[in-house]
Every structure is written in structure tokens, then in C-alpha cells.
Amino acid sequence: MAPAFSDSGSGSAPSGARGSAEDAATAAWARPAPTNPQPPDQSQPYVLEGANVVLPTGIVKNGRVIITGTKIAGSAPEKAHTIDVSGHWVVPGFVDIHNHGGGGASFTSGTVDEVLKGVHTHRLHGTTTLVASTVTGDMDGLAHRAGLLSELAEQGDIAGIHFEGPFISPCRKGAHSEELLRDPDPAEVRKLIDAARGRASMVTLATELPGGLDSVHLLAEHGVIAAIGHTDATYEQTVQAIDAGATVATHLFNAMPPLGHREPGPIAALLEDERITVELINDGTHLHPASLQLAFRHAGADRVAFITDAMDAAGFGDGLYTLGPLAVEVVDGVARLVEGGSIAGSTLTQDRAFRRAVTVDRLPVEDTVAALSANPARLLGLYDRVGSLDPGKDADLVLLDADFDLKGVLRKGEWVVDPFGDRPSAGGPN
């Protein structure tokens, strides 16, 4: 008989007035009393059996995933504990390469404890690998922030650092402070790379600005992803940047010129080039469903990475926040600048992005898994460890019910959200 899992839903951000951090944590961890078998002894091998298991080769019905310690195993000892998870889905842990915070905490300005709280908030929603993103600030402040975040990357709490700004176009600044924007001087780009101590994963640039192409060359030479975004580039300028070494489109369609029939702009260049991975924010606010379908059909499922672009309110609730130096108001889960009304990141979590993709956008589950796990893992150079359920990789997985609501999250063999108990496991990131 299959175990009965909690029916508390996906644990999405609360609506209504913003509460305290403690209130949000209590709400996120609330679960009905369990009626299922005892959880497995995590020190011993065990098998999740009977689910639809999504592998790189496709969906395996009535499949099994073997957990041994912190890893996924290819075989199980004869007496390994077996747990029936029939009627559920097992997918790889989600990988988010563009995320500014959550749980009321900011990766841009928060203390170490606050950053860890934000990371843990997203783990509760299935993101087992996360790159922490900054926003535009002064260079000394960004270098200091890079030092703090690099320590967390060295400890394994985050997978790296993404600098979004200050090297972006004032014409397409979005929720960035125009007074702090600057051209991408390679010397200043190098300053941020050095401050990150080898933990810089990505830098978003408006590559048409003076120094843009030289900065792309610099980033490529240092193994850092050059991402084209917050850009006013033409089609031809975007092609030049791709040829120089850019490999990512920062939140495609957003903060860039629209696709035109005489001036196709950056969107056409980014979609057509097989060297580019396109980020998409699938929250129902940033993109019309037809735009998302256009990206999938033209770029192909192996070139899309779903991101959250989340800010502090993700997993926390409506209210007033700041994003860098700018005031943000979140109403009905949509974040906008108080002054000007521009969209200011999102309150998205990756479990919601997954569910929307398969239930609203009607994307194949395999393509959705690729966009949430395999593709971003490959982009970060981490696919040997995460991004799929292949034996030998980290035991990072998400358990979903038949309606694609999140029921369990396993990270490195430990349940962050435990489907066999009455609440997520205690503690923060490790």
C-alpha cells in the first residue's frame, strides 16, 4: 500500500499582509498529522519505488531510485528498505542560476544568516542548487558582497555568484538604480571576479556598451558565464557578443528591445544561436504563454533554463521591501518598484514554475525537468554531480504528487521537506 503523504500543497508564498519571518517559517512548515510509514533510516540504503521517475532517457513508469548515503546508487543491497511512492513523480532537484533572495531575506544586502535563510526557503520549494544573484550597487559594495557570498559558496551553501549589474544599459535598467550604472570596463569586471575568489558564476552585461565585448572576452577567459541582458543592443551587436563568447540570455524578452520584423533586435539573435541558453521566468507575469512557447519551440528544450529571478518576498508574502537601494511593493505576489512601477524581480519558487509549465503551458514533463535541472546544471559545469537522477550523482530529488504539487525534497541524502514526517526537517542550509 502506498504511503499517504501530506496534502498541504506546494508550500507557495503566503498572500495577504506581510508577516514576520517567524510567522512565514511556521506557515511554510505546517503539515497535517502523518498517516504514513516511518521514514527510512538515512544511514542505510533505501529505495523509492513505484513512481514515475524522470531520467535523461525519458520517463520510467513504476521506476525506482536507490539512495545510499549522500548519493544515488545503481543497485541496492538485498535487504535495503523499500518505500512505495506509487502515484507520485520523482524528478531531479531544481537548479536556479538567477535568484536574489527569499523568505524575507536578500542575497544582495542580507547578513550571512539572512542569506542562509533565503537559501533554505528555496530548498523548501525544491531548489537544491542555487546561484545567488546581486543587483546594481557601487563597486566597493559589490566587491564586499562578493567576498561574503564566496565564503558561502566555498562551504557549499550556494553554487556561485551572479552579478546582475552594474554593467547594464540605462535604457533597459528595469529595477536597477540608474545612478549606479556604469559601462563594462574590463578592469572593473575583473575586480568583481577577483573579489569572488573563483566563485563568480555569471555576469550580466549590456554588451553594446563601451568595453562590452572586451569584458565578454575577459569573462570567457576566466571561465565565467557572460550573459546578455538589460540590453538595448541591435541584432548585429548581439551576434558580435555571442561570437565574443557570451552564452546566456538573461531573462529573455524582459529588459531588452522587443522582437521586430525590420529590427529583430537581441531576441532573434539569442533564440537562433545554438550556443545560447535562454533564461525564462515562468510566473505568468513576466511572460505571455505564447512567448514561452516561442522560446521552447525555436531554441529547443535543451537550451532553456527556468529561473526565478526571486527577490525577498518569495516564500514570504506581500508588503514593502527593498531591492538594492530601491523600494519595492509586492501586491498579490507581483513585485514592482514603488517609483515607476517596473517589475522588480519575482516572488516565484521553482516548484510553482514546474507546476505551471506542465499544467498551464502543457509542456512535456521531460522538457520541464531539463529546463529546471539538467540544462542549468550543465551551464554551471555541475552536471557530473547534479541535474539528473543518474547513479553516482548527489542524492538531490523532488517528490511530486499526481497533480505536481511538491511533497518531498531530498538534498545530498537528507530530507529538507520530509514526506514521511509531519514537517520539513529542522535546520537551515548545509
Side-chain angles (χ1 to χ4, degrees):
M1 178 178 178
F5 294 95
S6 157
D7 290 325
S8 59
S10 61
S12 58
S15 59
R18 175 185 176 191
S20 67
E22 291 77 16
D23 290 340
T26 299
W29 285 14
R31 291 290 187 278
T35 58
N36 44 283
Q38 290 297 312
D41 180 351
Q42 294 182 150
S43 66
Q44 301 297 322
Y46 61 97
V47 182
L48 301 177
E49 188 169 73
N52 294 314
V53 178
V54 183
L55 300 175
T57 53
I59 298 171
V60 178
K61 296 182 178 180
N62 194 29
R64 62 202 313 251
V65 179
I66 304 162
I67 310 298
T68 301
T70 64
K71 300 292 183 180
I72 297 170
S75 60
E78 184 177 341
K79 295 184 179 181
H81 183 42
T82 298
I83 304 163
D84 186 351
V85 289
S86 299
H88 291 73
W89 293 82
V90 178
V91 303
F94 307 141
V95 180
D96 192 355
I97 61 173
H98 187 155
N99 188 316
H100 298 279
S106 169
F107 299 153
T108 295
S109 59
T111 64
V112 168
D113 285 345
E114 288 169 340
V115 172
L116 292 176
K117 179 185 175 185
V119 170
H120 190 62
T121 296
H122 285 281
R123 287 187 187 166
L124 293 173
H125 294 274
T127 298
T128 52
T129 301
L130 180 148
V131 173
S133 301
T134 64
V135 297
T136 294
D138 67 81
M139 289 299 297
D140 288 341
L142 286 172
H144 177 76
R145 175 59 31 173
L148 181 150
L149 293 174
S150 67
E151 292 181 7
L152 297 180
E154 290 162 3
Q155 295 167 191
D157 296 303
I158 61 176
I161 306 166
H162 164 218
F163 297 100
E164 186 180 21
F167 311 117
I168 61 177
S169 172
C171 300
R172 304 288 175 177
K173 65 183 184 298
H176 292 257
S177 174
E178 185 169 356
E179 292 76 13
L180 296 173
L181 300 182
R182 55 212 302 131
D183 291 338
D185 181 345
E188 294 194 325
V189 174
R190 178 64 186 267
K191 178 179 179 179
L192 294 186
I193 295 174
D194 290 345
R197 303 200 302 260
R199 301 294 176 170
S201 295
M202 182 163 65
V203 178
T204 292
L205 307 159
T207 54
E208 75 278 7
L209 296 175
L213 294 182
D214 288 340
S215 294
V216 171
H217 285 299
L218 174 72
L219 292 168
E221 289 170 1
H222 287 80
V224 180
I225 297 165
I228 301 171
H230 288 275
T231 177
D232 204 40
T234 64
Y235 173 89
E236 291 78 13
Q237 288 172 326
T238 305
V239 170
Q240 285 183 310
I242 297 170
D243 288 340
T247 56
V248 166
T250 293
H251 43 54
L252 186 73
F253 299 108
N254 299 118
M256 59 182 63
L259 185 65
H261 63 293
R262 291 192 181 92
E263 296 181 3
I267 294 173
L270 294 165
L271 280 176
E272 72 183 8
D273 199 300
E274 294 183 354
R275 294 171 289 182
I276 292 292
T277 297
V278 298
E279 295 181 348
L280 298 176
I281 308 170
N282 192 26
D283 62 352
T285 298
H286 280 79
L287 296 176
H288 189 283
S291 297
L292 180 128
Q293 293 288 349
L294 173 67
F296 264 90
R297 289 174 183 172
H298 200 83
D302 60 344
R303 288 179 46 218
V304 173
F306 279 144
I307 61 165
T308 60
D309 195 16
M311 46 79 71
D312 312 17
F316 199 65
D318 289 356
L320 293 174
Y321 297 84
T322 58
L323 187 60
L326 303 179
V328 175
E329 184 175 18
V330 180
V331 178
D332 295 332
V334 178
R336 295 184 180 274
L337 292 182
V338 171
E339 185 176 342
S342 293
I343 294 177
S346 85
T347 62
L348 185 63
T349 53
Q350 292 288 51
D351 58 331
R352 287 167 48 206
F354 190 109
R355 191 175 191 279
R356 179 179 177 85
V358 296
T359 63
V360 176
D361 302 308
R362 302 296 180 183
L363 293 176
V365 173
E366 307 97 308
D367 291 352
T368 303
V369 168
L372 281 163
S373 302
N375 298 343
R378 287 194 186 95
L379 191 67
L380 294 174
L382 299 177
Y383 192 65
D384 61 329
R385 296 186 359 234
V386 300
S388 75
L389 298 176
D390 290 320
K393 293 192 176 184
D394 290 348
D396 292 359
L397 61 82
V398 177
L399 185 69
L400 305 165
D401 68 13
D403 296 321
F404 300 101
D405 285 323
L406 183 147
K407 296 301 175 184
V409 179
L410 188 72
R411 182 177 186 270
K412 293 187 177 180
E414 294 189 3
W415 290 101
V416 181
V417 177
D418 187 351
F420 312 108
D422 61 351
R423 57 183 288 170
S425 56
N430 51 47

